[in-house]
């Protein structure tokens, strides 16, 4: 298990297509949403859920993505439709984080959405802790009603992210991060 601070300060995303198999084992796949479900959750509403795409299920979901793409672009070239069909095949494992946020008497919807974001981040960190690389992406199909229907999302549910998980090609190159003095201030008395 890597040092948590080391992991957090060195974590980088990998491109989905860079994430190779073999993917996480069945035990590790169970562990990922288990870890993600421990996020802060005001009101204990569990305003998120997870959909695991593995093996051929990734292609079945890809059929729905390709169908939605064809509906939007009826003249699309077959190779473009095929690329859409393969969207969820790039990494061996994809876990969708679904936000179930909605109106509540006490808990603002915003806080429920934030909890889903935290769950997605926990998935990313847990994947890294297990030695995998991850990429949190949404892409166009996260916002397409036809795709959401095919994936079983209710009308009020939204995709917080499709977390792609697999074996990274090697150590990542870092990218510049925002200077600390631009993003953090000490509140002056
Ligand atoms: C909600 C959310 C959705 C994202 N969707 C995409 C996406 O569709 N495509 C993309 O290239 N990056 C997306 N990103 C950004 C990547 O996850 C990643 O942060 C970015 O590539 C920078 O890499 P880093 O995590 O190593 O800093 C998204 C991030 C968030 C938080």
């Amino acid at each position: 298990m890597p040092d948590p601070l080391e992991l957090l300060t060195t974590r980088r995303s990998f491109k989905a297509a860079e994430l190779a198999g073999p993917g996480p084992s069945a035990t590790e796949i169970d562990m990922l949403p288990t870890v993600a479900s421990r996020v802060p959750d005001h009101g204990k509403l569990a305003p998120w859920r997870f959909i695991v795409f593995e093996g051929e299920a990734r292609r079945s979901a890809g059929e729905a993505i390709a169908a939605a793409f064809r509906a939007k672009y009826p003249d699309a070239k077959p190779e473009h439709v095929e690329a859409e069909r393969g969207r969820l095949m790039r990494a061996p494992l994809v876990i969708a984080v679904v936000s179930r946020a909605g109106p509540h008497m006490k808990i603002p919807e915003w806080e429920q959405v934030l909890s889903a974001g935290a769950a997605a981040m926990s998935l990313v960190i847990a994947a890294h802790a297990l030695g995998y690389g991850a990429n949190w992406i949404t892409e166009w199909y996260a916002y397409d009603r036809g795709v959401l229907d095919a994936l079983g999302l209710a009308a009020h549910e939204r995709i917080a992210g499709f977390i792609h998980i697999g074996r990274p090609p090697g150590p990542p190159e870092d990218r510049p991060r925002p200077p600390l003095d631009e993003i953090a201030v000490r509140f002056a008395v």
Side-chain angles (χ1 to χ4, degrees):
M1 174 77 84
D3 171 65
L5 278 181
E6 169 78 8
L7 188 150
L8 288 168
T9 48
T10 58
R11 182 210 63 82
R12 266 235 68 182
S13 300
F14 293 87
K15 291 191 174 78
E18 293 176 334
L19 297 168
S25 66
T27 308
E28 289 171 330
I29 291 174
D30 280 350
M31 185 183 287
L32 291 165
T34 304
V35 169
S37 64
R38 292 196 61 102
V39 289
D41 167 11
H42 194 178
K44 303 180 188 67
L45 303 176
W48 23 255
R49 64 185 182 92
F50 308 96
I51 308 174
V52 176
F53 301 92
E54 201 198 3
E56 279 308 299
R58 295 171 303 157
R59 184 162 285 278
S60 309
E63 294 293 348
I65 295 173
F69 186 74
R70 268 198 311 265
K72 277 161 89 84
Y73 307 105
D75 299 328
K77 291 184 176 158
E79 59 266 33
H80 291 161
V81 177
E82 189 53 30
E84 294 299 335
R85 190 172 284 115
R87 281 276 184 188
L88 298 189
M89 301 288 288
R90 289 171 290 180
L93 177 69
V94 180
I95 302 182
V97 180
V98 178
S99 162
R100 308 199 287 181
H104 187 276
M105 273 172 42
K106 287 193 184 152
I107 314 298
E109 196 165 332
W110 165 238
E111 297 186 6
Q112 300 173 47
V113 174
L114 289 173
S115 185
M121 194 61 215
S122 280
L123 270 186
V124 169
I125 294 166
H128 279 272
L130 289 168
Y132 297 96
N135 191 8
W136 174 353
I137 51 181
T138 40
E139 302 185 321
W140 68 269
Y141 47 91
Y143 300 97
D144 184 278
R145 193 62 248 173
V147 172
L148 301 184
D149 287 343
L151 301 185
L153 269 73
H156 71 285
E157 293 185 321
R158 301 172 77 182
I159 294 286
F162 290 100
I163 314 300
H164 288 60
I165 297 166
R167 290 182 192 270
E173 272 182 33
D174 205 2
R175 69 172 172 91
R177 301 287 161 174
L180 192 58
D181 61 357
E182 286 182 14
I183 53 156
V185 295
R186 194 177 289 271
F187 186 69
V189 189

